[in-house]
Amino acid sequence: LLRMDRMLFDYRVTDTSFAGPTMFARGDTTYVNQRGELIGKQRSASIRYLTENARRLGAFSGQEKEPEWTDEQLAKIVDERLAWIRSWPGRTKRLWADVEVGEEMTKRVIGPHSIQTFTSESRTDQGGWGSYVHWPPLPTSTLDAGWLPEMSQDRERAKVDPAAGDGLVYGPSRGHVQPRWAQVIGMPRGYGYGATMCAWVVDYLANWAGDHGFVLHHRTQYRNPALTGNVTYLSGSITGKWRDDNFDRAVVQTTYEMRTHEGTTMAKGEAEIQLPEA
C-alpha cells in the first residue's frame, strides 16, 4: 500500500539569464509533508523560447498526423509491457550483491500515447495524492518573461470559475491535450513533456529497485517530447556499484535512455539507487 502525505509545493526561480531569443531558468521545488519533514528536492533547468520562432523554424513540420498501428503491432506492445511488469521484484528483495555491473534492465514500453493517457497522467501529477500548490503572495513575472497570456492561468477569474485555474482546460497545460493550442507554441499535436517524462523515469527506476529499494537521486536531460500516437521505450543498464559507508548503505548506479519507436532520443540520464544487502 502506497501512502503519501499531503505535500506543499514551493517554487522559486533562482537564476535567469537571457540569450538571444531564449530564456534559461532554474527552478527549485521542495516537497515536505504536513509535519514539515523534508520529502525530496527537485531542481529543474528549462529553456523558454519565442513561439513565433518555433512556428517559423517548423522543427516538427510534417508530424501533424499520428502514426497508425496494426493489431499485430499493438499486441506486441502489450506483450512487451507485460514482460516489463513481470520483471519487477516487488516484495522479493533485489539484493545489492546479486546485481552485476553491465546488467541490462528490462525495456519498458509506454504507449501509444493519446489525449486520454496524457490527461490521466496530468490529473495524477497535478492535484493528485492530496497535494496542492502553494503560491507565494508575490506578483508573478511570467508575462514579463514572454509567457503567452492565452497559455496562462487566470487566477482572478478562477476565484469565480475554477475551470480558469485548471491548466488542461485553460492555461499552460492545454497544449498537451488540445492540438489547437499545441500548434500555438510550435508543437504539431498533443504532447507529453517535463513532469510526465520525469514520472516515467522515476517509475521505471523504482519498479526495477522493488519495494525494498530506494531511488536516491537522478539526473535527466530531456531532448524531444512524446507525441500522441507515438510509442516510447525506456532502457537502462547498471554502470557501477559501491558501499556508501558515510550513510551505511549499498548503492548501484544506472544509466538510462528514453527513445521513440523510430529511435529518436527523448531523454537520457543516470541515477543512484539504494538496494538492501540482506
Side-chain angles (χ1 to χ4, degrees):
L1 177 64
L2 175 64
R3 178 176 180 269
M4 295 185 70
D5 292 324
R6 181 182 60 173
M7 293 184 178
L8 307 174
F9 294 78
D10 180 23
Y11 177 81
R12 296 183 179 90
V13 176
T14 57
D15 181 50
T16 59
S17 59
F18 290 85
T22 61
M23 183 190 79
F24 296 84
R26 188 184 71 197
D28 290 349
T29 303
T30 301
Y31 301 83
V32 298
N33 62 22
Q34 77 276 14
R35 295 183 295 275
E37 298 166 339
L38 177 65
I39 301 298
K41 291 185 178 181
Q42 176 181 332
R43 171 160 292 178
S44 302
S46 60
I47 301 175
R48 301 295 183 186
Y49 57 87
L50 294 176
T51 54
E52 54 266 32
N53 280 351
R55 293 191 293 267
R56 177 178 57 82
L57 293 172
F60 295 99
S61 178
Q63 299 187 46
E64 292 77 15
K65 186 178 179 181
E66 296 184 6
E68 296 182 1
W69 299 89
T70 65
D71 290 342
E72 291 75 15
Q73 290 172 322
L74 293 174
K76 182 175 182 293
I77 291 171
V78 169
D79 290 341
E80 290 174 323
R81 173 176 167 78
L82 288 174
W84 171 66
I85 292 174
R86 288 168 177 152
S87 73
W88 304 353
R91 289 181 294 177
T92 301
K93 293 182 179 180
R94 186 186 294 278
L95 297 178
W96 179 79
D98 295 337
V99 176
E100 300 291 338
V101 174
E103 178 181 327
E104 297 291 326
M105 302 166 68
T106 302
K107 184 180 291 186
R108 177 186 184 182
V109 60
I110 312 170
H113 306 294
S114 66
I115 297 301
Q116 178 188 18
T117 62
F118 286 159
T119 301
S120 299
E121 288 160 354
S122 179
R123 290 305 188 214
T124 301
D125 176 61
Q126 300 176 23
W129 310 111
S131 62
Y132 66 97
V133 177
H134 170 69
W135 296 99
L138 299 171
T140 177
S141 61
T142 54
L143 292 179
D144 294 334
W147 199 279
L148 299 181
E150 60 266 39
M151 300 298 285
S152 303
Q153 291 176 327
D154 188 336
R155 297 187 194 175
E156 287 302 314
R157 191 178 120 197
K159 295 176 182 178
V160 179
D161 178 8
D166 187 327
L168 287 185
V169 178
Y170 182 92
S173 298
R174 58 179 169 175
H176 294 295
V177 296
Q178 300 182 45
R180 171 189 174 185
W181 298 106
Q183 292 165 13
V184 164
I185 60 173
M187 303 297 285
R189 55 186 194 265
Y191 64 96
Y193 208 57
T196 295
M197 292 169 65
C198 180
W200 294 342
V201 166
V202 174
D203 190 53
Y204 182 60
L205 299 171
N207 280 305
W208 178 86
D211 294 354
H212 297 272
F214 187 78
V215 179
L216 297 169
H217 185 233
H218 79 94
R219 296 166 294 278
T220 304
Q221 297 179 339
Y222 305 110
R223 307 294 178 84
N224 284 284
L227 300 175
T228 55
N230 284 5
V231 171
T232 294
Y233 284 93
L234 258 167
S235 60
S237 62
I238 309 305
T239 54
K241 56 184 296 188
W242 63 87
R243 287 207 83 267
D244 184 349
D245 293 329
N246 290 329
F247 294 95
D248 190 27
R249 60 192 180 191
V251 181
V252 298
Q253 182 181 57
T254 73
T255 60
Y256 49 87
E257 189 167 20
M258 187 185 297
R259 290 180 176 269
T260 69
H261 61 280
E262 296 176 325
T264 301
T265 299
M266 299 169 60
K268 60 195 316 182
E270 58 184 13
E272 292 80 46
I273 300 174
Q274 179 180 347
L275 292 179
E277 294 187 85

